[in-house]
Amino acid sequence: MQTMPITPEGFAKLEAEIKDLKQVKRPEIIEAISAARALGDLSENAEYHSAKEKQREIESRIRYLEGIQSRSQIIDPKTLSGTTITFGAKVKLQDLDTNEQKIYKIVGVYEADLEKGFISNESPVALALLQKKQGDEIVVRTPAGEREYEIKEVIFE
């Protein structure tokens, strides 16, 4: 079984979502199913069928998240240092065509959130960055074409 790197913050978020699904969402949907059953004939009971579908979604999400949790390897970026880019590094890049600067933090798949600048360690940008150093130039293949970046800074925090 392959482990999945995750930050301590990401693992805490994962645990919180599992807890919410099990302790809040699951009981709510069980109650909704009971209420829908009380309405009578289940064959034409839209509330019942909708609640059962929601229950399947919740149970599926719990299984998915518990799978991630069981394979998680917590890596705290605060304990890392150096100039080589690894999981957990925050990287400042400069686009060599536009001079635009971007900052990305390399995190696990579960934690990825591009709006926050968190990119999955399996993304094309992260794969191009891993094991590189400040001052290196990289080429990233994207759906819009190739982009060239210079690594301006590597930060572990």
Side-chain angles (χ1 to χ4, degrees), residues 8-23:
E9 297 82 11
F11 194 78
K13 181 181 167 191
L14 176 67
E15 286 183 319
E17 185 175 355
I18 292 170
K19 182 178 178 181
D20 179 62
L21 287 167
K22 286 183 170 182
Q23 295 181 3

Side-chain angles (χ1 to χ4, degrees), residues 57-117:
E57 291 171 8
I58 289 169
E59 295 304 322
S60 176
R61 181 74 177 163
I62 289 170
R63 283 189 304 277
Y64 171 73
L65 295 175
E66 286 179 337
I68 291 173
Q69 185 181 40
S70 71
R71 295 187 313 271
S72 291
Q73 175 188 6
I74 300 171
I75 299 173
D76 189 349
K78 295 174 187 160
T79 65
L80 305 174
S81 63
T83 58
T84 302
I85 299 171
T86 62
F87 176 87
K90 186 182 275 189
V91 183
K92 186 184 289 186
L93 301 174
Q94 182 168 355
D95 187 312
L96 294 178
D97 293 327
T98 65
N99 283 333
E100 179 184 358
Q101 290 202 348
K102 297 181 180 194
I103 298 175
Y104 293 120
K105 182 172 183 175
I106 302 173
V107 297
V109 174
Y110 173 76
E111 305 170 84
D113 184 344
L114 193 55
E115 288 181 15
K116 293 181 179 177

Side-chain angles (χ1 to χ4, degrees), residues 45-58:
N45 187 329
E47 290 87 357
Y48 175 77
H49 293 291
S50 175
K52 287 298 280 184
E53 179 61 29
K54 184 69 176 168
Q55 182 183 39
R56 282 189 288 277
E57 291 171 8
I58 289 169

